[in-house]
Amino acid sequence: KGHGMIGNIYSTGLAMQVLQATGKFYAPREWDCAQAFSVVYKHDYQLPIAIAQVLPALAGRSYLEAANKDCAAKTSMYPSLQLSCPQSRVQPEIAKVHYSIINKLQGKHFSYTTSVRVPSGSTLLKVLQAAQAEKPKIFSFQTEQTSWGPMVISIHGLAANANDRTYWQFLSGGKALQEGVGTYKPHNGEHIHAVFSTY
């Protein structure tokens, strides 16, 4: 359904470990691992915790096998899969990113949009910082550090609240981003929406 992605880009590695370790329980239906491998091969993992979840699956082992006394290295379970490098592309030195903040959920509703220029390859966090530097009264924000990187907890003075089940959701092209602001890299001309949402 997700063309190989299981949950999101971060949960896929862990799910792959489970499916590799418990594959015999899925007979007669066989798990098509090639799609999942294709997804993780294409992704540029930056966070150590994400790398730690996907690396065992790529090595054909899982953390469930860590207690196994046989420490001899085994050959890859998927020798036909080849790691291919994407073709190099010339990127502009500066990326123009459009950024909107929207609240139609609580208190006084608002919707603001700006365009900022950041070095090509910058993370979304750099985009937020550039917007805040240009218009601090509108695009101010706060983050909280987590094991998965910085998480935006407040924008324009409106804070997420676990009791109200509210949070700031980041979208591109109407789809939720699969990475956090500290790792996602918007492309030139992309429009990012930060929408105050509920779950």
Side-chain angles (χ1 to χ4, degrees):
K1 187 175 181 181
H3 303 291
M5 193 174 298
I6 308 167
N8 61 38
I9 196 65
Y10 295 117
S11 61
T12 299
L14 202 55
M16 288 170 64
Q17 286 187 58
V18 172
L19 289 169
Q20 284 177 354
T22 60
K24 63 183 178 182
F25 298 110
Y26 290 92
R29 184 179 174 198
E30 196 170 311
W31 170 54
D32 180 12
C33 65
Q35 282 189 329
F37 270 69
S38 177
V39 168
V40 297
Y41 279 153
K42 291 176 185 173
H43 188 74
D44 180 18
Y45 288 93
Q46 300 285 324
L47 299 170
I49 193 166
I51 294 168
Q53 286 185 351
V54 75
L55 195 56
L58 293 176
R61 300 186 70 85
S62 78
Y63 285 120
L64 296 174
E65 297 172 286
N68 189 339
K69 291 181 181 178
D70 180 12
C71 296
K74 66 177 184 178
T75 58
S76 172
M77 295 169 65
Y78 308 102
S80 61
L81 290 170
Q82 298 293 321
L83 183 60
S84 59
C85 298
Q87 294 179 353
S88 60
R89 292 176 291 173
V90 177
Q91 295 183 337
E93 292 183 11
I94 298 295
K96 183 178 182 181
V97 180
H98 310 287
Y99 172 54
S100 298
I101 57 173
I102 302 163
N103 166 40
K104 295 182 179 179
L105 191 63
Q106 279 185 3
K108 187 176 179 182
H109 294 183
F110 58 82
S111 178
Y112 299 103
T113 299
T114 190
S115 295
V116 296
R117 295 180 184 277
V118 293
S120 181
S122 295
T123 64
L124 181 52
L125 183 61
K126 296 291 184 189
V127 171
L128 270 62
Q129 290 168 342
Q132 179 175 249
E134 288 185 9
K135 299 177 183 176
K137 290 185 178 179
I138 297 175
F139 293 100
S140 62
F141 73 98
Q142 293 179 337
T143 62
E144 183 177 272
Q145 193 61 35
T146 73
S147 58
W148 290 97
M151 179 177 67
V152 175
I153 57 170
S154 176
I155 297 177
H156 192 68
L158 183 58
N161 186 316
N163 293 332
D164 294 339
R165 298 165 57 96
T166 55
Y167 69 106
W168 280 99
Q169 182 180 38
F170 289 86
L171 304 105
S172 176
K175 294 182 180 180
L177 300 183
Q178 296 295 314
E179 298 177 78
V181 295
T183 53
Y184 185 77
K185 296 176 181 177
H187 59 76
N188 187 40
E190 187 170 1
H191 194 155
I192 302 293
H193 293 83
V195 181
F196 196 60
S197 306
T198 186
Y199 57 91

